[in-house]
Amino acid sequence: MKFFLDTANLKEIQEAVELGVLDGVTTNPSLMAKEGIKGTDAVMSHYKQICEIVDGDVSAEVIATDFEGMIREGEALAELHPNIVVKVPMIKEGVKAIRYFSDKGIKTNCTLIFSAGQALLAAKAGATYVSPFVGRLDDIGHDGLQLVQQIVDIFSNYGYPTQVLAASVRHVPHLLQCAELGADVVTCPLSVITGLLNHPLTDKGLATFLADHQKANS
Ligand code: G3P
């Protein structure tokens, strides 16, 4: 299973790289805005910096919602670095854009997936990744993990190469359940990845080991 960090924060990306478990990064316009990155030049330069920190796929989202605009933006993004994945929203024009990028060998991540039908359509268009939003479905009383399961099953039935990238993963149980369901990738905040470290018995056991060592050696 691949771990992607869902952030545009360079410090957090660096920290996850240093932990040695990071496979890529996903961003979106909200996350870029959160870091105060505005204007095309700043946005492009920020994506380049992310690509220089992490050795793995980096999703960069188009802002345009028309086919020509998405192609223009996506091609400019793809030229920035070989690891850029063009993130395209699940809309009709987006499906056409995914087909266009796929035919040109440009990787894509179809975002804002909230149904299995949308995921199937994106896979048919040749998306590299589909991003079902687990937490946002849970937020409205649906079962986000059930959607991940459905998509994993459908892709496996037909051997689609499109990878299931579980997004909007908010906490450790989400991540672990995605792993059980066979999602190819999870993207989440750094706190969810570091949350995997925690167990009170580990802390207690280590404290005892160190105390016993101290006693024996004093
Ligand atoms: O990758 C999509 C993700 O950023 C959405 O997460 O927590 O805003 O629903 P969230």
Side-chain angles (χ1 to χ4, degrees), residues 6 28 87 133 136 167-168 170 187:
D6 196 27
N28 61 41
K87 204 171 180 189
F133 277 35
R136 290 196 195 181
S168 188
R170 305 258 179 84
T187 190

Side-chain angles (χ1 to χ4, degrees), residues 45-132:
S45 142
H46 201 77
Y47 285 138
K48 268 187 129 167
Q49 288 183 70
I50 295 175
C51 290
E52 278 155 20
I53 299 173
V54 62
D55 182 18
D57 282 352
V58 173
S59 287
E61 190 159 341
V62 296
I63 305 300
T65 54
D66 63 299
F67 176 77
E68 285 77 17
M70 282 192 252
I71 299 311
R72 197 170 47 247
E73 286 179 21
E75 286 185 330
L77 288 166
E79 269 177 25
L80 281 177
H81 194 279
N83 288 350
I84 288 282
V85 175
V86 180
K87 204 171 180 189
V88 176
M90 172 31 79
I91 53 176
K92 193 172 175 185
E93 297 295 287
V95 173
K96 292 185 204 166
I98 288 167
R99 166 52 61 203
Y100 173 91
F101 289 131
S102 170
D103 289 347
K104 292 200 98 184
I106 294 174
K107 288 179 282 186
T108 53
N109 174 358
C110 186
T111 188
L112 294 166
I113 296 277
F114 291 96
S115 77
Q118 291 177 328
L120 183 55
L121 203 51
K124 293 270 308 162
T128 314
Y129 299 100
V130 289
S131 289

Side-chain angles (χ1 to χ4, degrees), residues 185-205:
V185 190
V186 283
T187 190
C188 57
L190 181 60
S191 59
V192 178
I193 294 176
T194 55
L196 295 171
L197 287 164
N198 301 334
H199 199 288
L201 291 181
T202 303
D203 299 340
K204 192 175 166 208

